[in-house]
Amino acid sequence: MRTDYCGKINASYIGQEVTLCGWVNKRRDLGGLIFIDLRDREGLVQVVFDPDLPEVQALANTLRAEFCIKLTGTVRARPEGQVNKQMATGEVEILGTGLEIFNKSAVLPLDWNQENSEEQRLRYRYLDLRRPVMSNKLQFRAKVTAAVRRYLEGEGFLDIETPILTKATPEGARDYLVPSRTHKGEFFALPQSPQLFKQLLMMSGMDRYYQIVKCFRDEDLRADRQPEFTQIDIETTFLGADGVMAITEGLIRDLFKQMLDVDLGDFPRMTYAEAMQRYGSDKPDLRNPLELTDVADLLAGVDFKVFSGPANDPKGRVAVIRVPGGASLSRKQIDEYTKFVGIYGAKGLAWVKVNEKANGLDGLQSPILKFLTAEIVDEILSRTGAEDGDILLFGADNATVVTEAMGALRLKLGEDFELLEGEWRPLWVVDFPMFEEADGQLHALHHPFTAPRNLTPEQLAETPATALSDAYDMVLNGVELGGGSVRIHDQTMQSTVFSILGIDKEEAELKFGFLLEALRYGAPPHAGLAFGLDRLVMLMTGATSIRDVMAFPKTTTAACPLTDAPSPANPQQLAELAIATVKKDAE
Amino acid sequence: MRTDYCGKINASYIGQEVTLCGWVNKRRDLGGLIFIDLRDREGLVQVVFDPDLPEVQALANTLRAEFCIKLTGTVRARPEGQVNKQMATGEVEILGTGLEIFNKSAVLPLDWNQENSEEQRLRYRYLDLRRPVMSNKLQFRAKVTAAVRRYLEGEGFLDIETPILTKATPEGARDYLVPSRTHKGEFFALPQSPQLFKQLLMMSGMDRYYQIVKCFRDEDLRADRQPEFTQIDIETTFLGADGVMAITEGLIRDLFKQMLDVDLGDFPRMTYAEAMQRYGSDKPDLRNPLELTDVADLLAGVDFKVFSGPANDPKGRVAVIRVPGGASLSRKQIDEYTKFVGIYGAKGLAWVKVNEKANGLDGLQSPILKFLTAEIVDEILSRTGAEDGDILLFGADNATVVTEAMGALRLKLGEDFELLEGEWRPLWVVDFPMFEEADGQLHALHHPFTAPRNLTPEQLAETPATALSDAYDMVLNGVELGGGSVRIHDQTMQSTVFSILGIDKEEAELKFGFLLEALRYGAPPHAGLAFGLDRLVMLMTGATSIRDVMAFPKTTTAACPLTDAPSPANPQQLAELAIATVKKDAE
C-alpha cells in the first residue's frame, strides 16, 4: 500500500513521489494551509496539503489526531528557516496530493501531553504503545533478543523449547497451577524456570542449549516484578564456571557494544564475602564510591554498650560509612536516615561530624564523642579516610542487620549526595555460600542443584554451613542481570544436598526422583546461567519500570485492565475440570 | 574441557593430539585391544586405547555403554581396509592415551536396537534424545527457527512477546485455565493463539510483528496434536492478502532451499470451491493424481435411487474416482473400501471395473451396470479418462458426505496404489466461505476477526451464507502448514460479523469489548498468518509423529511420564487459590 516509511524520508528523496501510511500525529493550520505530521513506526514526516487540489484539501480538513491514512505526495525541501535539525526528516516536507482515510479516530482517552495513570495506560495499551518513547523500547527489545540469538547461535547453542505445562519446581516462589481435565484432581504447574529440563537436555547430549523463555511466579508484585517474565536461559556441557562466565560475559559485552556503543571491558570478580563486607550487598553498585568500613576491633573496650555489645559478639558487626560533605546534614536529615535504617531492623544510627580534623576531638561533633578516646577516633578517621566536612555514620548490631541496613543506606546516600561515578559498572560475584540458615534449617542460597566448590559429598556433609558453591552472579550497576552455577552431576552429591536441606528420601523421590534417576545414566558435568531479559532491557533503555519494556504487562495485582483478565470461568468449564471455587467464608 | 567435537575429527587432524568429551556409544574388544565409539552431539569417532599404557588400559576396561568420559589421544589414519566411508570420521581413529570417567552408567532401560514403547521413551526422554536420529531432529528444528527469525527480521518484523496468562479467546477449542490468587474465584486462560494481541500490536503501530510462540488447546489428542504447540505468528499493517502471501511464501521457499536444498518454485493458488470439487479437501495433497469427477448431471434420469436421488437434490452430489489399475481389486478389497467410506457417513460404494473398453457395456463389470445406458457409461468413461484395467468408484449422497468420504478415499487409494508423484507440492487455498452452517447457525470458518472479500457490512449482512472471506491457507503435501487472513479493521464490519455469528451485543461487549473499542481509534488495515512450527518441522524431517520433533512432549492423555505431571496439588496451595477439587460423585 505504501512505498516508504515516514521516518525514512530525507533529502535524498527530494523530487520523488512517495506513498506513505500512518497516523496523524498532529495537525495545524497556517495561512490557509493544512499541515500534518504523519507518523509510523520509523518516525514522523511533515506534510502540507496542496491548496490547488480542492478535493484533497476538503478531505484533509476532516483530519484529526490519530486518524489512520494513506498519503501520496512529492517530497520537497523545506523553505529556509523551517528546517528542523532535531528531526531525521527535518530537511524535507511532502506536498500532499492524494489522501485516503483508512479509519477515523475518536478523541483519545489518554492525553500524551501529561502523565496518565498506570491503569489508564494499561487499559489503552495499544494507544500508549503508539508513543515513540514506548514503541522505541519494544523495538530496542526486539533488537536485543535478535542480537542475543545471533551471538549464542554463533557459539553453537541450540534453541530448544521446554514445556510450559509441567511439574512444580523448587525455585521457592509460589507456582501458578493449571487443573488437568484428563487427570481430574491433578494439576500442572507453570515453570518458574526451565531448570530441570535444561539439565535433562544436557544429560540428553544436546551439549549447548539456550532459550528465551517465559517463566512464571505467583508472588506479590513489586515495581520490577511481573507474574510472567522472560529469561535468557543458557546451559552447557563440559564447561566449568570460568567457561560459562567467559561466554556470557562476552554476550553482554557484545550487546552493549552493538546496541549502545559502550565498551564494558573485562568484568572484575569479587567474592560474596568481600561484597557483603565492603558494600553490604551481594549485588553491589560499583558506581557508588561509598564503602562500609569495619571498626568492631577498635570498639570492643568502649563504655558504650551499643558499640561494645556487637563488637564483642562473634555474630555482631560494627561498620561505618564516611559520607564526603555529609557534615552539612541537619539533625532532621540525620533523623530521617535513622528512620530509613530502621526499616532494616537497625535500632539507631550513631554519627560523627568531622568539622576540623586538625583540632582532634574538639574538631568533631557527635553525641557519642564522650565514649571514644582520641586514639580510637584517630584510627577510625584514618581507616575511613575522613576529611573535614564529612560525616561518619555507624551501624552496630548483629552482622545481618548491620550489613543489610548499611548496605541500603549506602545506596540511598549515593543517590542523595549524587555520588555515582561512571555509567556502567559490571562485575561478577562469586564464591557464594552453599546454604543460608533460617529457623534452624539450612536453605539453598541458589537452588538445590548447585554444585559445591571443591568438596566431596563427605566433606560437604561435615561442614555444610561454611561450604562455598560454584555459583556466579553477573551484576551491573547494582542490578543482578543473571545468575548461574555449575550443577551437580553426581547422584551421591545430589542426595547429600537434599539431605542437608532436610528433604527426606521419600520427598526427594516424589519431587526429584526423575532427576536422581537420570544421574545414574552417564550424566555429564554441566553448568549454566540465566539472564532476566526484562531487567536487562530496562537497564539498557533507562526505563524506570519493567512494565515499560513489556508489550502487555499486568498491574501490581496481577490483572490486565485491557482484556479484563483474570475473569470468572463458566460453570461448565469448571465442571469439566472437576474443580470448584471456594467462597472465603466456606474455608 | 575438550579441544574438539567427536563428530568433527577427520583426516585433517591426523597427527594432532585432541581431547574429546562424550558418551561411550559402543565398546568392542578385538585381539586384546579395547575399541570404543565415542559420541557427542556432532557425531561418533572411533577410539582404540594404547595397549602400552597399562593404567589407561585398566580404566578403559571398566567402560560400558553410555559412560560419560573425557578422552585424550592422537588422531591417526585407520589401517587400510578399516576405513568406513559411511562415517564422517571414518578415515581416522584416535589412539587413546588419557581417560577420565565423569560418570558411569547403569544399563539403559531403553534398548536402542529395538522399538521401545512410547511410554518408556517419554519416561526416559533424556536417554531417547541421545539417539542421533532424535538429536538430529531437535538440531534441525533449532536451525529452522534460526532461519525463520533471520528471514523475518530481514523483512522488518519485530519479535514481540504477548502474554501467556490471558483471557479466554474464541478459537473454539477448550481453554486451559489458571486460577488467580489475587483475584479469587477468577481465572486466566492460556492463549490458543496470540490473535487478539497481535491485532492490538498492529493498532499500536508496531507495523510488522512476529513471534515463535507457545499456544495451548485442551483437546483430546490425536497423533499430531499436543496440548502445547508452537506457532510462527506473523502480522503486518498496510498489506493485503497478496502482500502477506508473498512474504510467507518467500519464507517457506527460502527455508526449503536453505535446509533441504529443495526449490519449491512459485506456489499455485486454488479456490476453496475447486479444492473441494476436485480433491474433496481444503488441503489437497497434489502429489496424489486422483481426482473427484462430478457426474450428477448424467445420472439424474437413471432408475437407480442411490444415484438419481442425490443427482436431483440441489444439496446432493455424485462423484467418481478413477483408480488406474484398480480393476484388479478383489471383492473383499472393495468391501474394505466400502467400510472405509462408511466412517465418513457414506452408505455404500458403487463400482465399475473397466476390463475392455472397446467392448462397450460387455467390457465392463459392475453390479449397477443394469441401471446405466451405453451413452451414460461412455460419457463417464470419457470424463474420467478411464482405461482398460481401471476401476471407477462412485460416491452419491448429500454433498458434504460425498466430498468428505471421497476426499478421504482418494488419499487412501493414493497410498495403497503408491500413486504419489513428486516430493513436495505446495499450494495456496483461497476464497474460503466466511461462514459454515451447523445446527441452523452460521459459524466462522476461520475466526470472527476475518474480513470478507470485497463486501460492505450491509452486503455481508444480506447474504452471509455465500460470502467469501479474505483468508488463505498454505498447504504442503496435504498438510495445512499455515493459515491467515486479512482482519476486520472497521467497527461496523466487526459488529456485523458478531451479529451474524449470533453473538449478541452484551456477549460481544463482555468478550471482545476491548477489541471493538480499539477499532474506534484509527485502527489500520492489517493482515497476518500463523504457521504450525511443529508440523512444519515434522514434515521437513520426515518424522512420523509430532512428538519426535519436540524435546519433552506429552502422552495422548496429556501427561508427562518423565516428571509425572500433572500431579496432586497440596491443600494449602488450593486454599490460597480458593479452589477445591470435586469428586466425580459429588458433581
Side-chain angles (χ1 to χ4, degrees), chain A residues 5 103 130 141 161 207 489, chain B residues 103 141 161 207 489 521:
Chain A
Y5 279 115
N103 235 331
R130 283 190 196 168
R141 180 179 174 127
E161 295 178 71
D207 205 73
H489 70 284
Chain B
N103 236 332
R141 180 180 174 127
E161 293 178 72
D207 205 73
H489 70 284
Y521 301 109

Side-chain angles (χ1 to χ4, degrees), chain B residues 164-395:
Chain B
I164 298 288
L165 294 171
T166 181
K167 186 164 171 161
T169 47
E171 266 77 9
R174 220 181 267 110
D175 285 313
Y176 278 103
L177 297 185
V178 182
S180 164
R181 180 179 54 84
T182 42
H183 300 269
K184 294 196 202 309
E186 303 192 349
F187 295 80
F188 295 101
L190 302 183
Q192 295 185 35
S193 93
Q195 182 62 34
L196 290 175
F197 287 108
K198 68 178 178 170
Q199 293 193 233
L200 290 169
L201 284 173
M202 295 305 98
M203 298 173 197
S204 305
M206 300 314 296
D207 205 73
R208 294 186 162 198
Y209 143 95
Y210 91 95
Q211 196 181 188
I212 299 185
V213 61
K214 282 276 178 72
C215 302
F216 305 84
R217 298 191 184 180
D218 185 10
E219 290 183 294
D220 299 313
L221 306 180
R222 286 179 273 146
D224 62 343
R225 288 276 174 94
Q226 279 281 311
E228 54 182 295
F229 57 97
T230 305
Q231 206 160 283
I232 305 171
D233 202 45
I234 293 169
E235 195 80 8
T236 68
T237 314
F238 306 128
L239 274 186
D242 286 337
V244 173
M245 289 161 86
I247 289 174
T248 52
E249 180 176 324
L251 166 63
I252 296 300
R253 200 160 40 225
D254 264 34
L255 206 54
F256 272 74
K257 186 70 201 155
Q258 198 175 322
M259 300 295 300
L260 301 175
D261 198 24
V262 165
D263 182 3
L264 290 180
D266 287 334
F267 296 10
R269 293 190 188 183
M270 186 181 290
T271 65
Y272 173 85
E274 183 181 350
M276 298 303 272
Q277 200 74 23
R278 291 175 58 191
Y279 304 105
S281 167
D282 61 356
K283 40 177 196 280
D285 185 348
L286 296 186
R287 294 173 306 170
N288 181 334
L290 301 182
E291 293 197 18
L292 278 59
T293 306
D294 274 278
V295 291
D297 57 318
L298 304 177
L299 299 168
V302 300
D303 188 20
F304 182 44
K305 271 264 161 24
V306 171
F307 283 176
S308 61
N312 286 301
D313 180 350
K315 291 189 167 177
R317 184 174 184 190
V318 186
V320 53
I321 295 177
R322 173 178 74 89
V323 188
S328 62
L329 284 176
S330 70
R331 192 58 198 247
K332 206 178 144 205
Q333 286 171 311
I334 295 176
D335 284 351
E336 266 160 30
Y337 287 119
T338 309
K339 220 181 275 173
F340 176 79
V341 293
I343 300 171
Y344 302 89
K347 290 182 284 289
L349 184 69
W351 53 271
V352 173
K353 287 186 180 177
V354 184
N355 296 328
E356 269 194 281
K357 234 169 52 160
N359 268 350
L361 286 178
D362 290 344
L364 308 179
Q365 179 190 349
S366 168
I368 58 161
L369 227 46
K370 53 188 166 201
F371 302 118
L372 306 177
T373 66
E375 290 72 32
I376 293 174
V377 167
D378 266 359
E379 180 58 24
I380 292 174
L381 293 182
S382 140
R383 272 196 204 173
T384 57
E387 301 287 343
D388 290 353
D390 295 353
I391 192 169
L392 303 178
L393 298 170
F394 290 76

Side-chain angles (χ1 to χ4, degrees), chain A residues 59-341:
Chain A
L59 192 56
N61 199 29
T62 68
L63 293 179
R64 300 287 179 275
E66 298 309 310
F67 278 32
C68 183
I69 65 170
K70 176 159 87 171
L71 177 111
T72 302
T74 308
V75 183
R76 66 185 191 188
R78 289 201 196 180
E80 279 292 328
Q82 289 183 27
V83 169
N84 181 346
K85 294 277 182 200
Q86 309 298 314
M87 272 175 92
T89 64
E91 288 186 69
V92 297
E93 65 182 11
I94 295 173
L95 180 68
T97 53
L99 174 63
E100 180 184 342
I101 297 176
F102 290 128
N103 235 331
K104 298 179 180 189
S105 176
V107 174
L108 296 200
L110 298 180
D111 181 351
W112 289 351
N113 296 314
Q114 57 173 52
E115 281 281 307
N116 298 286
S117 74
E118 187 82 29
E119 179 85 12
Q120 268 309 82
R121 285 179 58 200
L122 292 179
R123 165 143 194 212
Y124 296 100
R125 190 64 170 176
Y126 49 92
L127 298 178
D128 198 39
L129 290 178
R130 283 190 196 168
R131 293 189 298 141
V133 64
M134 293 298 289
S135 157
N136 290 344
K137 287 193 176 61
L138 291 191
Q139 293 189 52
F140 187 94
R141 180 179 174 127
K143 282 187 190 126
V144 166
T145 53
V148 167
R149 291 180 185 283
R150 262 197 312 275
Y151 179 93
L152 291 173
E153 284 159 13
E155 294 284 335
F157 286 83
L158 300 173
D159 179 7
I160 303 177
E161 295 178 71
T162 54
I164 298 288
L165 294 172
T166 179
K167 188 168 171 158
T169 46
E171 266 77 9
R174 218 180 271 110
D175 286 314
Y176 279 102
L177 297 184
V178 182
S180 163
R181 181 178 54 85
T182 42
H183 299 268
K184 294 196 201 310
E186 302 193 349
F187 296 80
F188 296 101
L190 302 183
Q192 295 185 35
S193 92
Q195 182 61 33
L196 290 175
F197 287 108
K198 67 179 179 169
Q199 293 192 232
L200 290 169
L201 284 173
M202 296 304 98
M203 299 172 195
S204 305
M206 299 314 298
D207 205 73
R208 294 187 162 198
Y209 143 94
Y210 91 94
Q211 195 182 186
I212 299 185
V213 62
K214 281 279 177 71
C215 302
F216 305 85
R217 296 192 184 180
D218 185 10
E219 289 183 294
D220 299 313
L221 306 180
R222 286 179 271 146
D224 63 341
R225 289 275 174 92
Q226 280 280 312
E228 54 183 296
F229 57 97
T230 304
Q231 207 160 281
I232 306 170
D233 202 45
I234 293 169
E235 195 79 8
T236 68
T237 314
F238 306 128
L239 275 187
D242 286 337
V244 173
M245 289 161 85
I247 289 175
T248 52
E249 180 177 323
L251 166 64
I252 297 298
R253 199 159 42 225
D254 264 34
L255 205 54
F256 271 75
K257 186 71 200 152
Q258 199 176 321
M259 299 295 300
L260 302 174
D261 199 25
V262 165
D263 183 2
L264 291 179
D266 287 335
F267 297 9
R269 293 191 189 184
M270 186 180 291
T271 65
Y272 172 86
E274 184 183 349
M276 298 303 271
Q277 201 74 24
R278 292 174 59 190
Y279 304 105
S281 168
D282 60 356
K283 41 178 194 280
D285 185 348
L286 295 186
R287 293 173 306 169
N288 181 334
L290 302 181
E291 292 198 18
L292 279 59
T293 305
D294 275 278
V295 292
D297 56 319
L298 304 175
L299 299 168
V302 300
D303 188 19
F304 182 44
K305 274 264 162 26
V306 171
F307 283 176
S308 62
N312 286 298
D313 179 352
K315 291 191 169 175
R317 184 174 184 190
V318 186
V320 53
I321 295 177
R322 171 179 76 88
V323 189
S328 62
L329 285 176
S330 69
R331 193 58 198 251
K332 205 179 142 206
Q333 287 173 309
I334 295 176
D335 284 351
E336 266 162 29
Y337 287 119
T338 309
K339 221 180 277 173
F340 176 79
V341 293

Side-chain angles (χ1 to χ4, degrees), chain B residues 97-214:
Chain B
T97 54
L99 174 63
E100 181 185 340
I101 297 177
F102 289 129
N103 236 332
K104 299 179 180 187
S105 177
V107 173
L108 296 201
L110 297 180
D111 181 350
W112 290 352
N113 296 314
Q114 57 172 54
E115 280 280 310
N116 298 286
S117 75
E118 187 81 29
E119 179 86 11
Q120 264 315 76
R121 287 179 57 201
L122 291 179
R123 166 146 192 208
Y124 296 101
R125 189 65 170 177
Y126 49 92
L127 299 177
D128 197 40
L129 290 178
R130 283 189 196 168
R131 293 189 298 141
V133 64
M134 292 298 289
S135 158
N136 289 345
K137 286 192 177 64
L138 290 191
Q139 293 189 53
F140 187 94
R141 180 180 174 127
K143 281 186 191 129
V144 166
T145 54
V148 167
R149 292 180 185 284
R150 262 197 312 276
Y151 179 93
L152 291 174
E153 284 160 13
E155 295 283 337
F157 286 84
L158 299 173
D159 178 8
I160 303 176
E161 293 178 72
T162 54
I164 298 288
L165 294 171
T166 181
K167 186 164 171 161
T169 47
E171 266 77 9
R174 220 181 267 110
D175 285 313
Y176 278 103
L177 297 185
V178 182
S180 164
R181 180 179 54 84
T182 42
H183 300 269
K184 294 196 202 309
E186 303 192 349
F187 295 80
F188 295 101
L190 302 183
Q192 295 185 35
S193 93
Q195 182 62 34
L196 290 175
F197 287 108
K198 68 178 178 170
Q199 293 193 233
L200 290 169
L201 284 173
M202 295 305 98
M203 298 173 197
S204 305
M206 300 314 296
D207 205 73
R208 294 186 162 198
Y209 143 95
Y210 91 95
Q211 196 181 188
I212 299 185
V213 61
K214 282 276 178 72

